[in-house]
């Protein structure tokens, strides 16, 4: 049975696919007689490995390497951010689109503005960050932050490998 919970903030095709693929693979491995399972990944892959690990709910060796608790930094500040067409996103960020975003994350505009100020500072727009960058970061954080998912089965057994400097996942 799927460990996917309807309460989790999954973007269609993002976290859902990672969790489903992990569960199918883990289930298949168990059916083949494997009892000691594990998952690992590097950088954004480490974060991606953490999602099915959280959903599995059974013993699973989990080693996210050079990872972080959210993918938001990768898309808004990391190496991948240079591939985003920020001007196009900024131009498309109309009041109607902003209302759609509020509906997707189930938060009112004033709550979103408070969240943006709390997470990125009251002067975040005046510090060179475009509204598109802030909304991209907010959306990705809402759907990828591990705090929105269950804690892995045995968190004290997880081995987390971090780096002082990572272009994909800046700190």
């Amino acid at each position: 049975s799927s460990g996917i919970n309807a309460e989790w903030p999954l973007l269609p095709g993002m976290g859902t696919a990672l969790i489903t693929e992990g569960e199918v693979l883990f289930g298949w491995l168990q059916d083949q007689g494997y009892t000691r399972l594990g998952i690992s990944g590097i950088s954004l892959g480490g974060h991606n490995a953490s999602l099915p690990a959280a959903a599995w709910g059974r013993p699973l060796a989990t080693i996210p390497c050079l990872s972080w608790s959210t993918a938001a930094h990768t898309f808004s500040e990391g190496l991948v951010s240079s591939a985003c067409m920020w001007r196009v996103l900024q131009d498309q960020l109309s009041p109607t689109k902003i209302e759609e975003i509020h509906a997707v994350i189930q938060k009112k505009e004033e709550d979103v503005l408070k969240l943006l100020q709390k997470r990125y500072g009251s002067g975040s727009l005046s510090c060179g960050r475009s509204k598109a960058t802030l909304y991209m970061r907010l959306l990705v954080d809402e759907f990828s932050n591990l705090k929105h998912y269950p804690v892995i089965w045995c968190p004290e057994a997880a081995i987390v490998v971090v780096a002082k400097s990572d272009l994909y996942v800046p700190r």
Side-chain angles (χ1 to χ4, degrees), residues 16 22 34 40 63 77 81 96 98 129 131 140-141 145 153:
T16 306
Y34 294 95
S40 183
I63 307 172
E77 299 171 28
S81 70
T96 304
I98 289 175
R129 289 185 173 154
K131 201 174 218 182
V140 174
D141 191 48
N145 197 313
W153 186 78

Side-chain angles (χ1 to χ4, degrees), residues 59-160:
L60 180 72
T62 306
I63 307 172
C65 301
L66 311 176
S67 182
W68 199 236
S69 58
T70 177
H73 305 291
T74 302
F75 293 98
S76 63
E77 299 171 28
L79 192 60
V80 177
S81 70
S82 63
C84 293
M85 297 192 308
W86 295 110
R87 275 196 198 140
V88 174
L89 287 174
Q90 183 67 36
D91 292 344
Q92 293 176 348
L93 198 57
S94 66
T96 304
K97 289 291 180 197
I98 289 175
E99 286 177 23
E100 290 175 17
I101 292 170
H102 296 165
V104 167
I105 62 174
Q106 300 176 351
K107 289 182 175 34
K108 296 178 183 173
E109 182 175 6
E110 58 270 11
D111 295 333
V112 169
L113 293 174
K114 287 178 189 173
L115 255 179
L116 289 171
Q117 288 179 349
K118 180 180 173 189
R119 290 186 188 173
Y120 315 121
S122 58
S124 53
L125 281 173
S126 62
C127 293
R129 289 185 173 154
S130 71
K131 201 174 218 182
T133 306
L134 291 172
Y135 269 90
M136 168 71 93
R137 186 169 178 177
L138 177 69
L139 273 172
V140 174
D141 191 48
E142 285 295 308
F143 293 109
S144 72
N145 197 313
L146 294 176
K147 73 180 179 186
H148 298 305
Y149 297 90
V151 175
I152 61 172
W153 186 78
C154 186
E156 59 276 2
I159 298 170
V160 180

